[in-house]
Each structure stands twice: as structure tokens, then as C-alpha cells.
Amino acid sequence: MCVVAALVLVGATAGGGARQAAQTLSLDEARQYMVELINRDRATKDLVPVTLDGPATLAAQRHAEEMASERYMSHYNLAGKSPNQRYTEAGGTGYSRENIYLATTRYAGESGSEGASAAPLAQSPRFTRQELEEIESSYFNEVPPNDGHRKNILSPEHTHVGIGLARSAAPGGRALGNAQEFVDRYVEVEPIPSAMGVDGEIRVAGRVLGGVKFRSISVARGPLPEPLTKEKATAIHSYSVPHPDITYWPPPYRSARQVRVSADGAFSVTIPVGSHGAGVYYIGVWVDDSSRDILGSLRTVVVR
């Protein structure tokens, strides 16, 4: 599973230090330009381009706004939810992996405790190309062993990406937040419940997209989210998906419950969820592209 490291950038300016305002981009334009920058970087390794994804962008925007307003940076939001849970709650059905960025600037001659209270968000933010290029460069120019963002950009499995960008300003300074939610989407899946009781059952069904074969369905469990202070959230520098507790296979493999798979790639199985008690359960659909196993869908179910 992917573990993506966090990056903090803190700046200072003299006399307000306003960035060049010429040729600023709207939020939608900035998102499209950042996708161009990502695909430029992916092209250096002859990787297929990614396209903008709606649910991933919604998840990314919510997180970028919270980071910019609250002046903290973490893969977990202040409700304690992981990137995969936030992506699922935004309607995502693929497998997401996140990059995050926060730049804060203290106004010269002004004091104030950064992050002490929420700052108002810009309602119609504008962004310069230079700002977006600096964000992408900060990710892509990382060097081993601290190159989690770069590796994420260059993952060959990615098919889509969500882009979140937000600004805030307060008496002590301003902040610029960004989240990139890369998505691996290799299956179309039927809806599953977002929450359920212990020892319930759900039907996991869908169809693989072209070029891959169905492999298996996995179930993993993590703890229920708990609210975090900004200090505790910031101290968490990475995240990962829990290791599967059980995997369900199609014939001829032995499995507690066998997955039905048709010749056209449709699959279905009804499985128990919650057997290990309350928690966040991660329902994964694995596929095979003849050279590797790919997690083509990962959704969360809250069990209480």
C-alpha cells in the first residue's frame, strides 16, 4: 500500500510581499493547469496522462480548504478521517492516493500565532501560474528517501486525479493549500452502504474495465476516526491502508465465499462486514493487468 509523506513550506515576505497578480487563473483554470503540470511530469517517464475526476476533486477541495483555513497540514482531517475515507464520502469508487501542500506567509511587522484560529477562505480565489508551478515542483523535485510525492505523481497505475486549491487570510498572514488525489480506476462498482451495524452483510458487485481481469476482493479494518487537534494531526506524517483481514477469490481458488465472475468481467459476492467489531472497513477490488496486481477500487464502510 502507498504511504505518502507530507511536506511543509513556510515563507516570509517584506512589506506584504504580494505575488504578481498578472494573468491570474480562476479555481477551475488553476485545476486544469495543475493537471497539465502533472501530465508534463508523467510524460518524463512515458506514463499515460491522468484526467480530472469529480469526486476526487471534491475530496481534495474540502481538505485543501480545511488546511488553508486552520493553518495545519496532514493527510488526516480534524475529524480524524483518512484520505480514503474522505474520498469515499465524496462519492469516489476508485483507489486514491494523496499529495498535500501548505504554504503560510507571515506579514512583515505583524505578530500572531499561526493556526491559532480558523481564517476566512477566499470565496473566489485566483492563482498565478508561478504558484502552481512551485507547488508541483516541490512535489516532483523531491529526492530519495523523502520522495513520496514524486513517486505518487509517477505511479503508472493512476488514471485520474482530483485537485483542491484554497487560500485564506488573517491578521497574522495568509495560507495557500493544495491537495492532489490520484485515482486508480479499473472497475465500475455498484453502490455499497456507507455505514452499517456489526455483523451485517453487503453485496460487492461490478464489472472490470477494459484491459484487466478480475482477481479478488479484500476486506481490511482500521479504527474509527476520532477528532484531532491541529498539533496531533500535523504530527502524523504519513498514512497507509490496513492489511487485509480476509480475501475472497473466484473459482478455482478456495475461498470462504467464492466470487462469481462472468466472461464479460462482471463480478459479485455477498460478504460479512463487521466480524472484527466496530471500525472503518476497507473494501478493495483487485484486478490483474497480466503483469501485476492492481487495487482498482477501495471504499470505506463505517461499522458501529
Side-chain angles (χ1 to χ4, degrees), residues 76-77 79-82 85 89 222-227 279-280 302 304:
Y76 289 82
N77 68 5
K81 296 178 180 180
S82 70
Q85 186 175 359
E89 290 179 349
L224 290 169
E226 295 183 356
V280 177
V302 177
R304 299 183 185 275

Side-chain angles (χ1 to χ4, degrees), residues 85 191-204 219-220 224 257 270-283 299-304:
Q85 186 175 359
I192 59 175
S194 60
M196 59 188 299
V198 175
D199 295 330
E201 292 191 340
I202 61 173
R203 170 183 159 88
V204 181
V219 181
L224 290 169
R257 297 195 183 185
T270 299
I271 59 176
V273 175
S275 58
H276 293 281
V280 177
Y281 284 75
Y282 295 76
I283 313 300
R299 293 173 289 172
T300 60
V301 179
V302 177
V303 174
R304 299 183 185 275

